Amino acid sequence: MISTNPLMIYSTLSRRKEVFKPVHEGRVGMYVCGVTVYDYCHIGHGRTFVAFDVIRRWLEARGYQVTFVRNVTDVDDKIIRRAAERGISTLELTREFTAAMQQDMASLGCLPPTYEPHATDFIPQMLNLIRTLQDKGLAYVGSDGDVDFAVRRFPGYGKLSGKSLDDLQAGARIGIGQGKRDPLDFVLWKKAKPGEPHWTSPWGEGRPGWHIECSAMSCHYLGKTFDIHGGGPDLIFPHHENEIAQSEGANGVRFANYWMHSGPLRVRAADGTEQKMSKSLHNFWTIRDALSETDGKFGAGNGAEVLRFFLLRTHYRSPISFNTGLIVDAHKALTRLYEALDGAKGDGLPLDWEEKHAAAFARAMDDDFNTPVAIAQLFDLATEVNRSKDPALVRQLKGLGGVLNILQRDPAAFLKGAVKGLDEEEINRLIKERSDCKKSRNFARADEIRAQCLAQGIVLLDTPQGTTWRRS
């Protein structure tokens, strides 16, 4: 058994850690809001999805059967505008960026979702939900033809975000041409505009509002009440607040039992302040650009693991400051772990969860998925492996890394990393020349070759099996 500890999860709704009790014994229903596919994903998206990937992996490691749903928003004002700018259909645009998003998540080591529903495939379910809300007096047709949700008719609105109706009222206004009865109300169904994608509904041609899609899709796959609903911090209000109002208003039962949100990823602005990374602020770094940059620094294929490791070194609820110095530091730390595994024996053995480091790792993960504390156990193990080369400890180090989906590459390949100025063929030629020089007792030239390699970031390692190399 992995752990007899209670699994504690911090819920945004209760603002405290709670003992996890699934709706159905042995099974977990988990819904994480995906992206609006009009552009490439940035590192802030990666932070959220890596966090929930690890949460899912730990739940599965604990023996739960996890149904993981991550939606794709493929109809939206931004999508319509971007498609028009590029002179292509919204379908062509969303197919392109959905495929890109899936590639980016796979690059960062995230498992594919159990289900990945697209909003436009669930229009009938959304219409049924809106009709139910209208029948219950929670929705109405505004003067502009949109169908809006009547916020004041839903008791408890604001319980997730902690916002009161008075606070919301103070900052709200109705724009010119809007047909809402109250500035706090939000749209469920938008009346079609010329040239926009649209569907037939009881209220005329139109398209869904943003919030209604997640209520419909989560209910379809996970039921009216499910275990975990997650997403980025910017979704707490209004998106998740509105999901609760719609879902509980229509179904009359609790929507999700645990609300989980990742912390923001921040970048330094020109004025020295830190800002949330977002497309609206034009301060984002796409996952693709980040992978290209890190692969260039640390070696082809290494960059993705370095980025994942960087994200996991901070607790999922805490803010992360993103800068290249911290990425370099993450690479150095990950290198220490791979150095401990390099040449060591221990593959193919099962994890021993009663071993002290594994037990401490499990306690950390059971405490609201505390990856920084769990990772500390990996470094303790690496120290012991370096000292003893005990195959049982090697097994523990690689196996616990595997729970987080790190340390699964060939150590020698990782440690070779990026080669600046020398390709692998040239390095191997120099290694052979150096070997020949040592055999002919030309030690001066042999030392010269070692120094030449070191000057270009290549460390030569003499072992009983021969000379290998890695990036310094």
Side-chain angles (χ1 to χ4, degrees), residues 374-430:
I375 286 171
Q377 295 303 315
L378 303 185
F379 285 100
D380 287 348
L381 269 169
T383 299
E384 294 193 24
V385 168
N386 285 330
R387 184 169 57 246
S388 68
K389 295 299 180 182
D390 181 348
L393 295 178
V394 174
R395 165 199 66 194
Q396 295 297 97
L397 176 55
K398 186 164 185 177
L400 292 176
V403 174
L404 304 177
N405 199 22
I406 59 173
L407 302 182
Q408 303 307 292
R409 299 198 71 202
D410 173 57
F414 180 91
L415 293 171
K416 285 180 179 180
V419 182
K420 306 296 184 184
L422 293 175
D423 60 25
E424 188 164 0
E425 183 178 350
E426 176 65 9
I427 293 169
N428 289 332
R429 188 195 68 75
L430 288 170

Side-chain angles (χ1 to χ4, degrees), residues 261-326:
H261 295 90
S262 59
L265 191 144
R266 303 187 182 281
V267 292
R268 190 171 295 278
D271 61 3
T273 61
E274 286 197 338
Q275 300 175 330
K276 183 192 78 168
M277 181 180 287
S278 71
K279 291 177 180 176
S280 62
L281 294 174
H282 306 288
N283 64 354
F284 65 95
W285 200 18
T286 68
I287 292 172
R288 296 183 164 221
D289 288 345
L291 290 175
S292 176
E293 178 79 14
T294 51
D295 271 358
K297 286 181 181 292
F298 311 129
N302 287 350
E305 186 171 0
V306 172
L307 284 173
R308 183 179 177 91
F309 183 69
F310 161 74
L311 295 170
L312 294 179
R313 294 178 84 190
T314 301
H315 190 273
Y316 80 91
R317 286 193 286 114
S318 299
I320 296 182
S321 295
F322 184 82
N323 62 65
T324 54
L326 292 175

Side-chain angles (χ1 to χ4, degrees), residues 9 27 31 107 127 130 174 219 232 322-323 331 335 400 449:
I9 295 180
R27 293 188 284 147
Y31 186 95
S107 295
L127 294 177
I130 296 170
I174 297 181
C219 181
F322 184 82
N323 62 65
H331 175 255
T335 296
L400 292 176
I449 291 172

Side-chain angles (χ1 to χ4, degrees), residues 117-348:
H118 289 56
T120 54
D121 291 332
F122 282 79
I123 301 298
Q125 290 87 340
M126 297 181 209
L127 294 177
N128 287 336
L129 191 56
I130 296 170
R131 188 180 295 107
T132 299
L133 290 169
Q134 188 178 34
D135 291 344
K136 291 189 172 187
L138 291 168
Y140 62 91
V141 180
S143 60
D144 56 0
D146 290 351
V147 183
D148 297 313
F149 184 91
V151 165
R152 294 185 188 275
R153 293 187 180 181
F154 177 74
Y157 187 87
K159 60 185 177 182
L160 180 68
S161 61
K163 298 178 181 293
S164 70
L165 291 180
D166 289 339
D167 291 339
L168 293 170
Q169 178 67 50
R173 65 182 180 86
I174 297 181
I176 296 174
Q178 290 184 331
K180 298 177 182 178
R181 297 174 183 172
D182 188 306
L184 301 185
D185 297 346
F186 60 88
V187 67
L188 300 169
W189 185 259
K190 295 184 177 185
K191 183 179 179 181
K193 295 178 181 177
E196 288 187 348
H198 59 271
W199 291 262
T200 300
S201 83
W203 312 282
E205 301 292 315
R207 59 186 173 92
W210 174 35
H211 314 297
I212 196 68
E213 64 180 75
C214 289
S215 290
M217 290 186 283
S218 61
C219 181
H220 176 83
Y221 286 106
L222 302 175
K224 295 178 180 179
T225 300
F226 58 94
D227 298 298
I228 296 172
H229 197 316
D234 53 326
L235 299 182
I236 297 173
F237 187 87
H239 185 51
H240 287 168
E241 193 75 72
N242 290 351
E243 278 190 63
I244 290 175
Q246 296 165 164
S247 303
E248 296 186 0
N251 299 322
V253 294
R254 186 182 178 106
F255 181 35
N257 285 337
Y258 304 87
W259 286 87
M260 303 181 69
H261 295 90
S262 59
L265 191 144
R266 303 187 182 281
V267 292
R268 190 171 295 278
D271 61 3
T273 61
E274 286 197 338
Q275 300 175 330
K276 183 192 78 168
M277 181 180 287
S278 71
K279 291 177 180 176
S280 62
L281 294 174
H282 306 288
N283 64 354
F284 65 95
W285 200 18
T286 68
I287 292 172
R288 296 183 164 221
D289 288 345
L291 290 175
S292 176
E293 178 79 14
T294 51
D295 271 358
K297 286 181 181 292
F298 311 129
N302 287 350
E305 186 171 0
V306 172
L307 284 173
R308 183 179 177 91
F309 183 69
F310 161 74
L311 295 170
L312 294 179
R313 294 178 84 190
T314 301
H315 190 273
Y316 80 91
R317 286 193 286 114
S318 299
I320 296 182
S321 295
F322 184 82
N323 62 65
T324 54
L326 292 175
I327 300 296
V328 171
D329 183 61
H331 175 255
K332 290 178 180 177
L334 191 58
T335 296
R336 284 176 53 201
L337 298 178
Y338 268 113
E339 284 175 339
L341 293 173
D342 190 29
K345 304 297 182 182
D347 283 353

